[in-house]
């Protein structure tokens, strides 16, 4: 691996994870391909230093990976699901062993706080534990037949190759949300990580390789293909990949969904969010402030569940605004590996440009900035990726408010009257991922959760919009894509359902009473 830096002990971390010598961007688990694609340099947004370089995969490399995955599926699907679950259990143990160095690498390559980096690795452990139990619960159904002497049931079979396209903001957890479930279901996985965070992907593949090698798992069950949009396009159009799970922007998701749909494949889309918290007159300010602030500035506003809008009742608007301004004044912005800091950097300078443009445009639309933003300079901010979290008073119909900006910009807006007016504002955006209400009024909370309430895939009461647990299915509606990952019964998208009818008589009656005599 070229030009590894020693800053933040990163060289030692890479050595602990077993990736200090890897510089190739494709793997089928058993071996690393010598890729000759364009070089991808991974720079840390923490300090602007080069972490490492990796050669991206070419179309030839992609083809080799897919062929190996097809071969592996024939063997992997025949291993009993509980046995597959046992291998995933061992993976969870291995990730526990590597939790600290992997969490630090996530923080350093992506820029989120160390606590959030460690938390993301914990999500990997949690979903593996969930999948282990699931491996003994891939239930079908039985039902009564209308024909005497017949038995009917439904069962689930593995799909085949699951293609995974992940985003930079959760560079390891989202991959494992998909793989842990897909593997126990009997599928094999091919992963295209974000080209902005390739080194964490190398680490995940290497950790998985340790466990799979020890258990004799066929080469090709866990594959990695590092590259840009061209790799994602190949995957989306590939009829050999029955399911493509894609996480990222709505623009990207529409492209993937169209390509997969054109070949009648399946897509699992986790796309943009424009998440709001409704704050009612009975809300507890002690819960409102930390919930709203963490939701808005955590991961520097680069979560799909980031709180982007506060819809505040006019009776408490000024009080909430004042409390937020005071809280923002206490935020510490800097190196995310320093646990005293609240806010780290944006992923790169392109993200900084989008942040600046959003603030400029929302002011042009009539927005009023009440907590100034801006790019930080000087010692500790050499990467040019650190910005100040900003608060803007705005209207929900503003173009910039309707748009998801992946940065720490929080929009405040006022509502009058009953909760139905706040819900109308909440639902009045194209996205539908996460939502929340802060209230101590039972009628308001129930209205928010009712059929006429939040139109989002996630609706919370007295907690913020971020911080999903793996037990519940994660995903959203409208331009968020409609996909569900992680917990609950989301495993079903990784399998194909089959209805079986068994006739145990010596007669052949037809359904619906149809007579057919020869």
């Amino acid at each position: 691996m070229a030009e590894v830096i020693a800053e933040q002990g990163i060289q030692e971390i890479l050595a602990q994870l077993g990736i200090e010598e890897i510089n190739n961007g494709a793997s089928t688990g058993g071996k690393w391909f010598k890729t000759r694609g364009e070089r991808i340099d991974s720079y840390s947004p923490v300090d602007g230093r080069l972490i490492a370089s990796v050669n991206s995969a070419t179309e030839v490399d992609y083809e080799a990976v897919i062929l190996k995955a097809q071969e592996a599926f024939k063997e992997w699907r025949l291993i009993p699901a509980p046995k597959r679950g046992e291998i995933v259990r061992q993976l969870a143990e291995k990730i526990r062993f590597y939790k600290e160095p992997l969490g630090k690498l996530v923080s350093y390559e992506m820029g989120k706080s160390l606590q959030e980096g460690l938390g993301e690795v914990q999500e990997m452990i949690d979903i593996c534990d969930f999948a282990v139990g699931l491996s003994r619960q891939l239930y079908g159904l039985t039902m009564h037949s209308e024909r005497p002497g017949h038995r009917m049931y439904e069962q689930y079979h593995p799909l085949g190759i699951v293609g995974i396209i992940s985003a930079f903001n959760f560079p390891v957890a989202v991959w494992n949300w998909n793989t842990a479930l897909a593997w126990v279901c009997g599928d094999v996985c091919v992963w295209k990580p974000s080209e902005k965070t390739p080194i964490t992907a190398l680490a995940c593949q290497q950790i998985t390789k340790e466990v799979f090698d020890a258990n004799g798992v066929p080469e090709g069950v866990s594959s990695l293909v590092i590259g840009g949009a061209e790799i994602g396009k190949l995957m989306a159009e590939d009829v050999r990949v029955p399911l493509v799970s894609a996480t990222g922007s709505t623009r990207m998701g529409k492209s993937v969904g169209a390509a997969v749909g054109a070949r009648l494949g399946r897509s699992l889309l986790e796309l943009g969010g424009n998440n709001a918290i409704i704050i009612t007159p009975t809300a507890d300010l002690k819960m409102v402030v930390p919930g709203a602030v963490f939701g808005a500035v955590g991961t520097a506003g680069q979560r799909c569940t980031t709180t982007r809008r506060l819809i505040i009742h006019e009776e408490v608007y000024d009080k909430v605004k004042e409390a937020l301004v005071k809280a923002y004044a206490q935020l510490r912005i800097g190196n995310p590996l320093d646990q005293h800091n609240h806010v780290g950097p944006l992923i790169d300078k392109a993200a900084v440009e989008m942040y600046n443009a959003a603030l400029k445009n929302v002011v042009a639309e009539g927005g009023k900035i009440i907590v100034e933003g801006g790019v930080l300079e000087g010692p500790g901010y050499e990467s040019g990726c650190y910005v100040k979290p900003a608060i803007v008073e705005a209207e929900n119909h503003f173009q910039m408010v309707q748009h998801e900006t992946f940065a720490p910009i929080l929009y405040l807006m006022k509502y009058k009257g009953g909760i139905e007016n706040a819900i109308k504002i909440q639902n009045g955006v194209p996205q539908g991922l996460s939502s929340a209400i802060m209230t101590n009024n039972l009628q308001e909370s129930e209205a928010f959760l009712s059929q006429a309430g939040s139109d989002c895939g996630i609706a919370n009461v007295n907690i913020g919009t971020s911080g999903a647990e793996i037990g519940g299915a994660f995903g959203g509606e409208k331009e968020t894509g409609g996909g569900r990952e992680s917990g609950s019964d989301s495993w079903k998208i990784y399998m194909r359902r089959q209805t079986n009818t068994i006739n145990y008589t010596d007669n052949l009656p037809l359904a619906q009473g149809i007579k057919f005599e020869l």
Side-chain angles (χ1 to χ4, degrees):
M1 181 171 283
E3 301 174 271
V4 174
I5 65 168
E7 193 73 19
Q8 306 298 336
I10 196 67
Q11 189 170 23
E12 180 182 350
I13 289 170
L14 297 178
Q16 289 174 349
L17 294 169
I19 59 172
E20 74 275 19
E21 297 299 331
I22 298 171
N23 63 1
N24 295 310
S27 167
T28 54
K31 66 177 182 179
W32 291 91
F33 285 79
K34 187 172 181 59
T35 50
R36 291 182 170 82
E38 181 180 347
R39 191 176 86 159
I40 296 175
D41 296 326
S42 179
Y43 290 92
S44 171
V46 174
D47 54 19
R49 303 286 297 278
L50 180 67
I51 302 173
S53 301
V54 60
N55 292 326
S56 62
T58 63
E59 185 173 352
V60 172
D61 300 322
Y62 171 82
E63 183 65 21
V65 166
I66 292 295
L67 291 175
K68 184 60 69 173
Q70 284 184 301
E71 292 178 19
F73 174 60
K74 295 175 185 177
E75 184 176 347
W76 181 246
R77 65 184 175 182
L78 299 179
I79 297 173
K83 298 294 185 183
R84 298 192 296 255
E86 164 58 19
I87 295 169
V88 173
R89 184 197 66 79
Q90 293 178 36
L91 178 61
E93 291 301 305
K94 188 67 70 172
I95 296 171
R96 284 183 173 93
F97 178 79
Y98 286 117
K99 180 178 178 178
E100 184 175 351
L102 183 56
K104 287 180 178 178
L105 180 59
V106 168
S107 178
Y108 189 63
E109 186 173 37
M110 186 268 148
K112 63 176 60 178
S113 74
L114 179 58
Q115 283 302 308
E116 291 181 88
L118 294 170
E120 184 173 346
V121 178
Q122 184 62 47
E123 277 195 68
M124 300 174 72
I125 296 167
D126 293 344
I127 195 61
C128 284
D129 288 347
F130 179 91
V132 173
L134 177 66
S135 68
R136 295 181 182 271
Q137 301 179 76
L138 300 175
Y139 298 134
L141 296 170
T142 61
M143 63 282 292
H144 291 280
S145 172
E146 67 183 58
R147 289 167 283 185
H150 286 61
R151 180 166 67 89
M152 293 181 64
Y153 68 93
E154 292 180 352
Q155 62 178 331
Y156 288 85
H157 294 301
L159 272 180
I161 300 174
V162 174
I164 302 167
I165 301 172
S166 63
F168 74 85
N169 59 330
F170 280 85
V172 297
V174 171
W175 165 75
N176 212 190
W177 282 6
N178 285 277
T179 55
L181 299 191
W183 285 331
V184 299
C185 288
D187 298 320
V188 300
C189 298
V190 177
W191 180 25
K192 191 208 89 66
S194 169
E195 58 269 38
K196 296 182 180 182
T197 51
I199 311 306
T200 49
L202 295 176
C204 289
Q205 183 72 356
Q206 189 67 11
I207 292 169
T208 304
K209 182 179 185 302
E210 288 185 33
V211 176
F212 281 19
D213 284 354
N215 286 274
V217 173
E219 181 185 344
V221 173
S222 176
S223 297
L224 174 70
V225 186
I226 294 175
E230 68 283 354
I231 296 295
K233 186 174 186 293
L234 288 171
M235 187 180 289
E237 295 176 350
D238 195 337
V239 296
R240 297 167 296 181
V241 182
L243 171 64
V244 176
S245 174
T247 303
S249 68
T250 297
R251 178 191 57 78
M252 179 277 294
K254 287 180 177 180
S255 175
V256 170
V260 175
R263 59 178 174 86
L264 299 181
R266 296 190 198 181
S267 57
L268 195 171
L269 302 176
E270 298 290 353
L271 311 176
N274 196 346
N275 316 297
I277 301 177
I278 296 171
I279 301 172
T280 74
T282 65
D284 186 341
L285 205 61
K286 297 192 303 294
M287 298 173 69
V288 167
V289 173
V293 174
F294 175 75
V297 309
T299 321
Q302 297 172 114
R303 290 177 177 233
C304 51
T305 55
T306 289
T307 304
R308 308 207 181 275
R309 298 175 294 144
L310 291 187
I311 304 165
I312 310 167
H313 194 275
E314 61 178 353
E315 290 183 15
V316 293
Y317 184 87
D318 290 338
K319 184 188 297 185
V320 172
K321 181 172 75 170
E322 180 182 356
L324 288 170
V325 171
K326 287 181 179 178
Y328 268 54
Q330 300 174 48
L331 291 175
R332 292 186 294 274
I333 308 167
N335 189 322
L337 293 171
D338 181 346
Q339 297 192 46
H340 292 94
N341 292 325
H342 299 107
V343 184
L346 294 177
I347 185 65
D348 54 27
K349 291 182 179 178
V352 174
E353 291 175 5
M354 286 190 290
Y355 160 86
N356 284 329
L359 287 175
K360 178 181 177 181
N361 291 338
V362 77
V363 169
E365 288 187 85
K368 178 183 178 183
I369 294 179
I370 59 174
V371 172
E372 291 284 345
V375 182
L376 293 168
E377 299 177 344
Y381 305 124
E382 290 86 357
S383 70
C385 297
Y386 291 88
V387 301
K388 300 176 185 177
I391 300 179
V392 183
E393 290 183 305
E395 298 293 335
N396 202 55
H397 63 81
F398 287 179
Q399 183 180 359
M400 290 311 303
V401 176
Q402 293 283 308
H403 176 76
E404 180 192 39
T405 302
F406 235 45
I409 302 174
L410 179 63
Y411 299 117
L412 304 190
M413 52 200 71
K414 189 183 297 184
Y415 80 95
K416 301 178 181 180
I419 189 62
E420 66 277 1
N421 295 328
I423 293 173
K424 183 178 180 180
I425 297 171
Q426 139 70 38
N427 293 344
V429 293
Q431 308 84 0
L433 178 52
S434 187
S435 58
I437 186 172
M438 295 287 188
T439 182
N440 283 320
N441 183 305
L442 180 62
Q443 290 178 322
E444 289 179 332
S445 65
E446 289 299 318
F448 179 70
L449 300 175
S450 73
Q451 295 92 329
S454 169
D455 64 2
C456 294
I458 300 169
N460 299 326
V461 177
N462 289 330
I463 62 171
T465 59
S466 60
E469 298 181 32
I470 59 91
F474 180 89
E477 302 301 324
K478 301 190 294 188
E479 287 195 357
T480 302
R484 293 297 185 275
E485 290 176 320
S486 190
S488 186
D489 66 348
S490 58
W491 61 271
K492 291 181 178 179
I493 197 169
Y494 301 97
M495 306 194 82
R496 58 181 177 89
R497 182 161 63 176
Q498 184 182 78
T499 300
N500 308 113
T501 305
I502 301 169
N503 179 1
Y504 55 89
T505 74
D506 55 4
N507 296 315
L508 189 64
L510 301 178
Q512 293 84 47
I514 295 173
K515 301 295 183 182
F516 183 78
E517 297 179 356
L518 295 174

